[in-house]
Amino acid sequence: MSAAMEQIQGHAPAAERPIIELIGISKRFEKRLDFIGKLAQKLGAPVREEIVHAVDNVNLSIRKGEVVGLVGESGCGKSTLGRVVAGIMPPSDGEVLWRGRNIGSLQGAEAREAKLRAQMIFQDPYASLNPRMKVQDIVGEAPLVHGMTTRGGFESYVDEQLRRAGLDPTLKKRYPHQFSGGQRQRIGIARALAVQPEFLVCDESVAALDVSIQAQILNLFMKLRADLDLTYLFISHDLGVVEHLSDRVVIMYLGRVVEQAPSEEIFARANHPYTVSLLSSVPRIEARKRAFATVKGEIPSPLNPPPGCHFHPRCPHAFDRCRVEVPALKEIAPGHLSACHLNG
Amino acid sequence: MVATLEVRNLQTHFFTRAGVVKAVDGVSFTVGRGKVMGLVGESGSGKTVTGFSIIGLVDAPGRVVGGEILFHGQNLARLSEEEMRQLRGNRIAMIFQDPMMTLNPVLRIDTQMIETVLAHTKVSQEEARQRCRDALGMVGIPSPEERLKSYPHQFSGGMRQRVAIAIALLHRPELIIADEPTTALDVTIQGQILAEVQKLATNTGTSLIWITHDLSVVAGLADDIAVMYAGRVVEDGPVSEVLDKPLHPYTHGLIGSVPSRNKRGEPLRQIPGMTPSLLKLPPGCAFRSRCDRATPECATPIELMELIPGRHARCIHPHLEEQVAA
Ligand SMILES: Nc1ncnc2c1ncn2[C@@H]1O[C@H](COP(=O)(O)OP(=O)(O)OP(=O)(O)O)[C@@H](O)[C@H]1O
Ligand SMILES: Nc1ncnc2c1ncn2[C@@H]1O[C@H](COP(=O)(O)OP(=O)(O)OP(=O)(O)O)[C@@H](O)[C@H]1O
Ligand code: SF4
Ligand code: SF4
Ligand SMILES: [Mg+2]
Ligand SMILES: [Mg+2]
């Protein structure tokens, strides 16, 4: 374990290609003006096309067998980035490389293979499960189509997938609405794992589970990683879980990566002021009946991001340069990157 | 003084083809005015169904088959559908675990929110719009004016959750049942919302049932806690006592699984075994097959008992020895 950790956290041998690489990824959602809007604009009303800058120029590479935690404020673009990484949403700019090759350029069988190998467990278990399908088909259909199981082996394959995710296999003939929130989340987990992926994007995948079942799922993730070298992009707001699981942590703020470092490093020596404020506000089970704090400063909008450093309206250290110049993501210690002008 | 809500021996069962699912089978608790009760427990143990039973939204084949739900002393289980509708959204609100139960996917956010305001208060369209803008700002959504014109799918998961919270807070109800309301929120935005909730409880006397898996939120927010397992409350009491010195072996195991209480990189402690099927619960303690303190006596029916003043547990071999230490 510790030798493996060292290899992951230190500099990997040059021969080791990343399984997935993001180069200059941006994603914008544009809201075109409707007829009335266009008319109003012609008549001089201050309406304009609204553009949400969900992800802004993100570079990231993930090595095989690595667990990368992705953390950031609600609405900062984590799920969008996750969808782009999993190859289910095309970026507006930039390239996604799957084992060194552009995902967008893959054709036919190769494209299908890449799609199968990278799976995403969606944040919203309700919307992502077909309400008219029985659980056994939700979980077993794709493995059957792709030959991971046979008609004869179908039942026992599905049972095993459900049991692994902590669900009672006798419930497999039920429909999603007959399950509790956390049970539905586990159906989503079972479905993603059933096609034997190599790379898994987990989007708040254990958020709806009580801590004991959460522990069971996280232990399963870790076992699959040890046994099959599974790679993870693990999106979570639960910093305790992220710390426990991740080799490396990436912090996003309003569409941009502002800091990344090996897990131990970031929890011990956070550099970016956003990360520092984030880590200081983690509620602890030891803290009883306390007054929660409202957000200080203005929460910037991705519809109209502030110039310079996106964090400057809330940053206690902001100075003039921060309001005009975007800080570059620079290495401040081996493997530790931060985007803040305080670093020079 | 009458409590805002008193639930007595609530039973809600689903009559499915495979048999009767006793999703809630004898749940009791009390929430005082301006108090927050944390409802925690195993996934699938009946927390959401308990909430649905209180606001009268259990769908067929489910039915409240027993018990009383006293809201200011009035039994809600006896009210007509129309009387319940009057209460819902106005005096009692629920923040659903699935925000899309509150939000209509084909309507813009402003249409939905303004309609809610106008349904319960006589104000002008513009005044209603202003209230909605303020409510979105309160839950930390920037550019509220532009965002009001969006559809739910154009929001992030956490933003949808926050819109649902904003709608529930619009009318300052007397009771809010919040079902995993902040699961998808980062700690900063979560703090913002919890601060608003605390304000509401203190200033308006709103009572809350806060259903969550996040024990650190319960620790910081709630006055009392009830722990559910397999359709029943297995332990309740003041938050700090229950979290520091749990009596019931299930609560004990649950708290031990919190990641920050485990060593980094090592397997997390988990409670062994699986939840028994609600279709065929054995008589006696439902936790028996997973409990390291179980004895043959645990197979007899076990009631929720007051073991220490103000603290109840449904167990005949509770962790009492830890209670004296410290
Ligand atoms: N329509 C239904 N038909 C049959 N069983 C149901 C139905 N709805 C819920 N159940 C069952 O009732 C039990 C309680 O469900 P409930 O949603 O209340 O759990 P919960 O405590 O909220 O769990 P979670 O934390 O996972 O959301 C579950 O085991 C679930 O499978
Ligand atoms: N289909 C869409 N159309 C328009 N805007 C969108 C769409 N999907 C996402 N957005 C916007 O992109 C931004 C980033 O959303 P995303 O879902 O990636 O956030 P997130 O970091 O996952 O947040 P959360 O933690 O709340 O889930 C948000 O401002 C959201 O409103
Ligand atoms: S660049 Fe400036 S505003 Fe941004 S985090 Fe650093 S000090 Fe704060
Ligand atoms: S009653 Fe018996 S089986 Fe149930 S929790 Fe207590 S000791 Fe364990
Ligand atoms: Mg998201
Ligand atoms: Mg629930």
Side-chain angles (χ1 to χ4, degrees), chain A residues 43-185:
Chain A
L43 297 173
V47 288
R48 53 191 169 84
E49 306 229 310
E50 279 159 14
I51 301 177
V52 178
H53 300 264
V55 175
D56 184 8
N57 192 19
V58 168
N59 297 294
L60 179 67
S61 64
I62 304 178
R63 283 184 293 277
K64 185 141 183 61
E66 195 179 17
V67 181
V68 174
L70 180 59
V71 171
E73 203 153 275
S74 171
C76 75
K78 302 179 297 294
S79 296
T80 304
L81 188 67
R83 287 195 192 99
V84 171
V85 175
I88 49 183
M89 182 184 263
S92 307
D93 293 317
E95 278 185 87
V96 182
L97 304 185
W98 172 255
R99 297 188 185 289
R101 302 194 36 213
N102 190 327
I103 271 193
S105 74
L106 297 181
Q107 295 286 322
E110 262 188 333
R112 273 199 300 280
E113 175 73 10
K115 216 171 197 132
L116 202 62
R117 292 283 150 245
Q119 285 290 316
M120 179 152 179
I121 303 170
F122 294 94
Q123 179 171 9
D124 186 351
Y126 306 88
S128 64
L129 301 176
N130 184 338
R132 277 174 292 277
M133 269 168 89
K134 288 194 178 115
V135 166
Q136 60 180 13
D137 299 317
I138 290 175
V139 172
E141 195 173 60
L144 192 61
V145 170
H146 295 284
M148 284 144 193
T149 180
T150 56
R151 280 253 160 248
F154 182 79
E155 294 261 333
S156 66
Y157 192 81
V158 168
D159 287 1
E160 175 53 26
Q161 303 304 317
L162 292 177
R163 207 173 292 120
R164 232 173 26 161
L167 288 166
D168 179 356
T170 61
L171 306 180
K172 68 188 169 195
K173 297 220 160 54
R174 283 204 202 171
Y175 294 90
H177 77 271
Q178 296 174 299
F179 288 86
S180 78
Q183 288 167 339
R184 287 180 223 186
Q185 190 157 51

Side-chain angles (χ1 to χ4, degrees), chain B residues 58-322:
Chain B
V58 179
D59 276 337
R63 212 167 63 229
V64 175
V65 294
E68 296 181 307
I69 304 161
L70 304 173
F71 179 60
H72 296 296
Q74 181 185 30
N75 191 356
L76 298 184
R78 293 256 176 75
L79 291 189
S80 71
E81 182 45 43
E82 182 49 36
E83 287 167 310
M84 254 340 267
R85 216 192 331 265
Q86 294 285 335
L87 281 180
R88 260 198 307 266
N90 203 14
R91 295 178 63 199
I92 306 181
M94 181 155 179
I95 303 168
F96 296 102
Q97 189 168 12
D98 172 10
M100 292 313 287
M101 268 193 78
T102 306
L103 302 173
N104 184 331
V106 300
L107 292 181
R108 270 176 22 179
I109 299 293
D110 52 359
T111 318
Q112 317 195 28
M113 284 187 84
I114 290 171
E115 189 178 291
T116 321
V117 174
L118 296 177
H120 295 285
T121 32
K122 286 200 178 61
V123 291
S124 72
Q125 186 82 17
E126 190 37 49
E127 163 80 24
R129 193 174 191 87
Q130 182 60 43
R131 282 200 196 177
C132 298
R133 260 196 307 263
D134 294 347
L136 287 189
M138 203 163 83
V139 293
I141 292 183
S143 307
E145 181 56 48
E146 289 84 358
R147 290 295 195 173
L148 270 176
K149 287 181 257 169
S150 307
Y151 290 90
H153 78 270
Q154 295 171 319
F155 279 20
S156 77
M159 287 162 71
R160 277 197 287 273
Q161 217 169 25
R162 284 182 275 157
V163 174
I165 296 173
I167 291 177
L169 301 184
L170 273 174
H171 298 290
R172 310 178 167 272
E174 290 153 60
L175 173 68
I176 298 179
I177 303 163
D179 195 357
E180 302 281 1
T182 61
T183 37
L185 300 180
D186 61 280
V187 292
T188 323
I189 300 290
Q190 176 174 283
Q192 161 82 28
I193 285 169
L194 297 182
E196 293 293 346
V197 164
Q198 283 180 327
K199 244 193 269 171
L200 196 65
T202 327
N203 300 347
T204 323
T206 298
S207 307
L208 290 119
I209 297 174
W210 202 264
I211 302 175
T212 183
H213 291 303
D214 192 333
L215 295 175
S216 57
V217 168
V218 173
L221 185 71
D223 301 283
D224 298 302
I225 186 172
V227 183
M228 284 187 72
Y229 186 82
R232 292 183 176 143
V233 171
V234 294
E235 173 157 11
D236 67 26
V239 159
S240 50
E241 291 180 38
V242 174
L243 291 183
D244 285 340
K245 296 169 189 165
L247 286 166
H248 196 281
Y250 172 68
T251 320
H252 209 266
L254 189 68
I255 292 169
S257 302
V258 174
S260 65
R261 304 215 157 171
N262 282 261
K263 209 161 161 264
R264 185 171 172 266
E266 298 206 340
L268 293 157
R269 254 170 290 159
Q270 60 187 66
I271 300 170
M274 258 180 49
T275 324
S277 165
L278 292 179
L279 276 172
K280 39 177 194 290
L281 279 184
C285 176
F287 191 56
R288 206 164 78 231
S289 61
R290 307 172 68 185
C291 181
D292 56 4
R293 300 166 84 100
T295 59
E297 291 75 51
C298 301
T300 58
I302 293 159
E303 296 298 317
L304 195 64
M305 298 170 280
E306 184 159 34
L307 298 172
I308 301 174
R311 295 192 55 189
H312 302 84
R314 201 183 277 271
C315 174
I316 50 173
H317 308 297
H319 286 258
L320 276 171
E321 61 282 2
E322 277 105 323

Side-chain angles (χ1 to χ4, degrees), chain A residues 85-331:
Chain A
V85 175
I88 49 183
M89 182 184 263
S92 307
D93 293 317
E95 278 185 87
V96 182
L97 304 185
W98 172 255
R99 297 188 185 289
R101 302 194 36 213
N102 190 327
I103 271 193
S105 74
L106 297 181
Q107 295 286 322
E110 262 188 333
R112 273 199 300 280
E113 175 73 10
K115 216 171 197 132
L116 202 62
R117 292 283 150 245
Q119 285 290 316
M120 179 152 179
I121 303 170
F122 294 94
Q123 179 171 9
D124 186 351
Y126 306 88
S128 64
L129 301 176
N130 184 338
R132 277 174 292 277
M133 269 168 89
K134 288 194 178 115
V135 166
Q136 60 180 13
D137 299 317
I138 290 175
V139 172
E141 195 173 60
L144 192 61
V145 170
H146 295 284
M148 284 144 193
T149 180
T150 56
R151 280 253 160 248
F154 182 79
E155 294 261 333
S156 66
Y157 192 81
V158 168
D159 287 1
E160 175 53 26
Q161 303 304 317
L162 292 177
R163 207 173 292 120
R164 232 173 26 161
L167 288 166
D168 179 356
T170 61
L171 306 180
K172 68 188 169 195
K173 297 220 160 54
R174 283 204 202 171
Y175 294 90
H177 77 271
Q178 296 174 299
F179 288 86
S180 78
Q183 288 167 339
R184 287 180 223 186
Q185 190 157 51
R186 283 175 276 163
I187 298 170
I189 293 170
R191 174 178 60 182
L193 291 177
V195 295
Q196 302 167 11
E198 283 177 66
F199 177 64
L200 208 52
V201 178
C202 303
D203 194 355
E204 300 289 1
S205 300
V206 294
L209 304 178
D210 65 84
V211 283
S212 174
I213 290 178
Q214 178 177 298
Q216 181 184 344
I217 299 290
L218 296 179
N219 289 342
L220 170 67
F221 284 165
M222 291 304 92
K223 184 175 178 309
L224 294 174
R225 178 220 187 156
D227 295 352
L228 307 169
D229 223 12
L230 209 59
T231 309
Y232 298 85
L233 179 65
F234 198 86
I235 302 173
S236 176
H237 71 92
D238 188 330
L239 295 166
V241 169
V242 168
E243 179 174 14
H244 190 86
L245 215 67
S246 313
D247 301 309
R248 189 153 55 104
V249 179
V250 173
I251 313 278
M252 268 179 95
Y253 189 80
L254 207 67
R256 294 179 185 155
V257 171
V258 295
E259 181 162 10
Q260 56 168 293
S263 187
E264 274 158 19
E265 169 93 0
I266 215 148
F267 286 98
R269 280 175 295 279
N271 174 274
H272 196 279
Y274 171 63
T275 315
V276 173
S277 84
L278 183 71
L279 297 186
S280 69
S281 49
V282 179
R284 292 261 160 213
I285 180 172
E286 289 77 18
R288 295 299 145 68
K289 201 65 187 169
R290 62 190 191 92
F292 288 91
T294 50
V295 174
K296 287 183 202 67
E298 181 199 344
I299 302 176
S301 168
L303 281 166
N304 190 10
C309 173
H310 281 166
F311 190 53
H312 83 247
R314 287 161 73 184
C315 181
H317 310 290
F319 54 108
D320 291 346
R321 188 176 166 201
C322 308
R323 295 179 192 98
V324 287
E325 192 188 325
V326 180
L329 191 63
K330 283 190 296 207
E331 189 157 54

